[in-house]
Amino acid sequence: MTNDIERILLSEEEIEEQVARVGRRITEDFRDKNPIFVGVLKGCFIFMADLMLHVDIKCTMDFMAISSYAGTSSTGAVKINKDLGQDIEGRHVIIVEDILDSGVTLSYLKQFLLGRKPASITIATLLDKPARRRSDIVADYSCFEVPDAFVVGYGLDYNEHYRNLPYIGVLKPEIYS
Ligand code: IMP
Ligand code: MG
C-alpha cells in the first residue's frame, strides 16, 4: 500500500497537533451551546474520532452519508444515502468533513440542513484545497490547507482504498491515470 504513495504530505504527528488545536478551539467556542457534530461519511471517520477526543463539552454526534449524482455534479445535486437520526431544529450544527475541494458537496449539504432550521451551521474540515473551489463556501475550522494534488490516508480514499494510512500522502499519478 505504501508503495503507491509518492510522498508524505502530513505526518501523524503534524495531524495530531492540528486536530488537537481545532478541538480545543471548538471547545472554547461552543461551551454551553450543546452542539451536534454531523460527520460526513465515510471520509470523516478517523478525523471525527480524533477530533471528538479533544472536544471537552456537552454535545451529540450523528452521521450522514452523501454522494454526488453521477453526471450531474455541475448542478451540485447530491444524493443523501444516510440521513440524520436526530432533529437539528434550534441546534448548533458542526459539519465534520475530510476535505473541502470544489465545495459543491458542502454547499449543497449546508443548504439542505438549513431547511431544518438549526440555530447555526459551522464547518470543520481536516483539509482545505482552495485552488479548486467552485462555490463560495469557506471552512470555519480547518486543520491544513493542501496543494492541488490528490491525497489519501487518515480516512481519505482513492476508490475506497488507502483510508487506513496513518498519515496523509500524495498518491502516485500512475495509480489513477
Ligand atoms: P467537493 O464537493 O469537490 O468539495 O468534494 C469533496 C469530496 O471529494 C470530499 O469529501 C472527498 O470525498 C472527495 N475528494 C476531493 N479531493 C480529494 C482528495 O484529494 N483525496 C480524496 N478525496 C477527495
Ligand atoms: Mg468524502
Side-chain angles (χ1 to χ4, degrees):
M1 184 168 66
T2 49
N3 284 341
D4 298 347
I5 302 300
E6 187 174 83
R7 67 191 166 97
I8 296 178
L9 189 64
L10 301 164
S11 69
E12 281 184 74
E13 293 74 20
E14 288 172 290
I15 295 169
E16 196 180 300
E17 194 183 310
Q18 287 306 307
V19 171
R21 179 186 62 84
V22 168
R24 287 193 299 267
R25 278 195 47 208
I26 292 175
T27 300
E28 289 164 18
D29 297 348
F30 286 86
R31 210 175 284 288
D32 303 321
K33 288 189 171 162
N34 186 25
I36 173 168
F37 289 82
V38 173
V40 184
L41 294 171
K42 290 176 274 214
C44 77
F45 82 110
I46 299 180
F47 171 46
M48 179 132 161
D50 282 352
L51 178 71
M52 296 318 299
L53 296 177
H54 294 281
V55 172
D56 187 19
I57 49 173
K58 185 181 163 197
C59 62
T60 63
M61 291 159 233
D62 206 340
F63 295 90
M64 289 184 82
I66 59 181
S67 56
S68 300
Y69 275 111
T72 60
S73 56
S74 57
T75 66
V78 303
K79 182 165 172 259
I80 308 291
N81 296 321
K82 182 217 171 297
D83 203 343
L84 295 172
Q86 295 173 46
D87 189 6
I88 60 166
E89 187 172 343
R91 299 287 304 275
H92 292 282
V93 174
I94 304 175
I95 299 176
V96 181
E97 250 286 32
D98 53 357
I99 183 166
L100 184 51
D101 187 24
S102 73
V104 169
T105 312
L106 268 187
S107 23
Y108 180 89
L109 182 63
K110 194 172 173 179
Q111 286 311 312
F112 177 82
L113 293 179
L114 276 172
R116 294 180 178 173
K117 310 225 172 344
S120 67
I121 296 191
T122 298
I123 291 172
T125 188
L126 174 68
L127 306 178
D128 188 1
K129 206 192 267 183
R132 284 169 42 97
R133 198 63 35 82
R134 284 200 285 131
S135 72
D136 59 4
I137 199 138
V138 288
D140 301 283
Y141 302 96
S142 162
C143 296
F144 301 95
E145 202 169 284
V146 292
D148 188 8
F150 199 83
V151 295
V152 293
Y154 196 72
L156 289 103
D157 73 307
Y158 172 66
N159 277 349
E160 296 299 330
H161 286 90
Y162 310 105
R163 292 192 197 274
N164 53 325
L165 286 172
Y167 51 80
I168 307 261
V170 176
L171 202 57
K172 285 181 181 166
E174 64 251 40
I175 304 295
Y176 54 86
S177 57

